[in-house]
Amino acid sequence: MLHLSEDQQRIQLKANELSKEKLNPTNDVLFKFIFGRPERKQITIAFLNDLLCEELGHKIKDLTFENTEQTPNSDDGKLTRLDIACLLDSGEKVDIEMQVAYEKSFTNRTLYYWSQMYLGSILNSEDYGKLTPCICINILDFVLFKDEPSAFTSYAIFERKSHALLNSDLNLHFLEIPKFQKKEHMSKMERWLAMFSKKLSYQEKMQIAKEDPMMHNMLKSYDAFCLNNEERLKYINRQMAIYDYNTAMRSSREIGWAEGEAIGIEKGRKEGIAQAKEQTVLTLVKKGMTLRNAIELLDMSEQEQSEIIKKHPELNEAPK
């Protein structure tokens, strides 16, 4: 009989207690289960059509899921791992990201992801005209654009004065979940945002989904998820990692202010954040997260990584 550690037993117990009413749709394990599987690609197609149909000028009829790991273009290049990558039947490449933790450099990150997709769309010997239009869709569980009232923003390359579009190869979309407000009459995209919002119960979402069969299918897929023990365990691990991250960020502010009284507020704040990140990396790796994923979750610089690994050489033995 397989012996489980106390942590593993606790995780299994939490997984067994999961119900569709308790599921968090912004957890990327559940998100990928719904939107990143071939057997449910009609849900993904419906979501993309509601968001992109006007921009593309046509409806998406089919898509193919692709490898989410983007190979760096040099030996020391940064590895990119997308949440959901797909190729549309009309040729465009799409990256869909669910982002829970706030990152101050998130706009830089999405441009980097876009550039990796764009670079990877042609071979070295091919003409630049073969480059494929790429679209990055970012679903955010935090407010990124505080001065922008709309929950939906879209960016492309325009001429500054005439606002003429340079080309359609770069498109970045942001959906900010916290900006969702329930109202009597909602657009299709507002209803999709309702599906991800924590402001509504599962029953309230089912009421809204009556207007759209694919949103209804999205919520019904929770049943299949709850029956999958492996996915439930991954979901709980991810929820715990998010909790640890949020706790560490709150602690970093408290540590920063406390140390600030003695060594200067700005220096104390920076040292507090560094300590919190260090402790969070150790906790996440101990709970089974790969070192690479922990570093990406905390948006750590190369200098921060090297300093933590120098202090804790055992991390070099952790899964990368």
Side-chain angles (χ1 to χ4, degrees):
M1 184 175 178
L2 183 64
H3 176 71
L4 299 178
S5 68
E6 286 188 15
D7 275 350
Q8 289 172 323
Q9 289 177 29
R10 184 160 53 92
I11 291 168
Q12 182 66 68
L13 182 62
K14 287 181 176 290
N16 291 342
E17 293 173 348
L18 266 186
S19 67
K20 61 187 179 184
E21 289 81 12
K22 296 179 181 178
L23 288 175
N24 172 13
T26 64
N27 182 303
D28 58 358
V29 175
L30 176 59
F31 179 71
K32 292 173 189 176
F33 181 85
I34 296 171
F35 288 92
R37 300 283 185 90
E39 62 267 29
R40 281 179 286 279
K41 70 177 179 180
Q42 292 304 321
I43 300 174
T44 312
I45 290 171
F47 170 74
L48 293 178
N49 269 325
D50 289 341
L51 179 62
L52 302 176
C53 187
E54 183 177 345
E55 174 185 312
L56 295 174
H58 59 80
K59 278 205 166 188
I60 302 162
K61 296 179 181 178
D62 199 7
L63 59 79
T64 305
F65 291 109
E66 296 194 318
N67 182 13
T68 57
E69 198 163 279
Q70 305 290 303
T71 305
N73 54 10
S74 64
D75 290 340
D76 59 349
K78 183 176 176 64
L79 180 70
T80 303
R81 184 180 288 106
L82 310 178
D83 279 351
I84 298 172
C86 52
L87 177 66
L88 305 184
D89 57 333
S90 48
E92 298 86 356
K93 286 179 171 286
V94 178
D95 163 38
I96 312 173
E97 296 290 315
M98 173 61 76
Q99 181 69 15
V100 174
Y102 172 78
E103 290 184 19
K104 63 180 179 180
S105 57
F106 189 80
T107 53
N108 303 86
R109 172 177 163 175
T110 193
L111 277 170
Y112 183 82
Y113 281 15
W114 174 87
S115 68
Q116 289 290 90
M117 286 199 300
Y118 197 56
L119 284 169
S121 68
I122 60 168
L123 302 173
N124 290 335
S125 59
E126 289 183 315
D127 184 82
Y128 291 124
K130 298 286 187 180
L131 283 162
T132 300
C134 295
I135 302 167
C136 288
I137 299 168
N138 302 289
I139 307 171
L140 311 178
D141 197 21
F142 58 88
V143 174
L144 182 63
F145 306 113
K146 294 180 180 178
D147 296 328
E148 173 57 60
S150 175
F152 309 98
T153 47
S154 178
Y155 295 84
I157 304 176
F158 293 92
E159 203 285 324
R160 290 184 186 275
K161 295 179 181 177
S162 69
H163 304 293
L165 181 67
L166 179 66
N167 64 34
S168 59
D169 284 11
L170 183 149
N171 280 284
L172 307 176
H173 295 268
F174 299 88
L175 286 68
E176 297 172 277
I177 299 171
K179 290 181 179 178
F180 166 76
Q181 295 294 331
K182 185 181 179 182
K183 51 189 180 183
E184 187 175 352
H185 299 291
M186 291 187 281
S187 67
K188 284 188 176 181
M189 286 313 301
E190 285 173 329
R191 292 202 295 273
W192 277 114
L193 212 59
M195 297 300 104
F196 298 118
S197 177
K198 299 188 188 77
K199 297 176 182 177
L200 303 178
S201 67
Y202 180 84
Q203 289 73 22
E204 288 176 305
K205 292 177 183 180
M206 284 296 285
Q207 283 296 116
I208 294 171
K210 284 182 178 180
E211 300 181 45
D212 193 301
M214 287 303 162
M215 292 181 198
H216 184 264
N217 288 348
M218 170 192 167
L219 295 175
K220 289 299 292 180
S221 67
Y222 283 20
D223 292 320
F225 184 85
C226 287
L227 292 173
N228 189 315
N229 188 58
E230 182 181 352
E231 293 294 325
R232 292 201 319 271
L233 288 172
K234 289 194 294 184
Y235 172 95
I236 292 297
N237 269 304
R238 183 60 175 160
Q239 284 295 103
M240 292 172 69
I242 293 168
Y243 174 79
D244 288 338
Y245 171 83
N246 289 333
T247 300
M249 290 302 100
R250 284 194 298 271
S251 296
S252 72
R253 288 191 290 270
E254 294 169 4
I255 293 170
W257 282 110
E259 294 194 359
E261 293 178 2
I263 60 177
I265 291 175
E266 183 58 22
K267 184 180 179 182
R269 185 187 68 83
K270 289 180 179 178
E271 291 192 8
I273 290 174
Q275 287 182 28
K277 284 187 176 182
E278 175 185 343
Q279 188 56 50
T280 305
V281 167
L282 296 173
T283 301
L284 295 180
V285 171
K286 182 181 178 182
K287 290 184 176 180
M289 182 178 285
T290 65
L291 177 59
R292 181 170 60 194
N293 284 352
I295 285 169
E296 287 183 358
L297 176 66
L298 295 170
D299 191 28
M300 293 170 61
S301 67
E302 291 184 8
Q303 183 179 351
E304 288 175 322
Q305 296 173 40
S306 61
E307 286 177 358
I308 288 178
I309 291 173
K310 190 185 297 182
K311 289 177 66 177
H312 302 278
E314 69 275 12
L315 289 175
N316 274 323
E317 301 173 7
K320 298 293 194 298

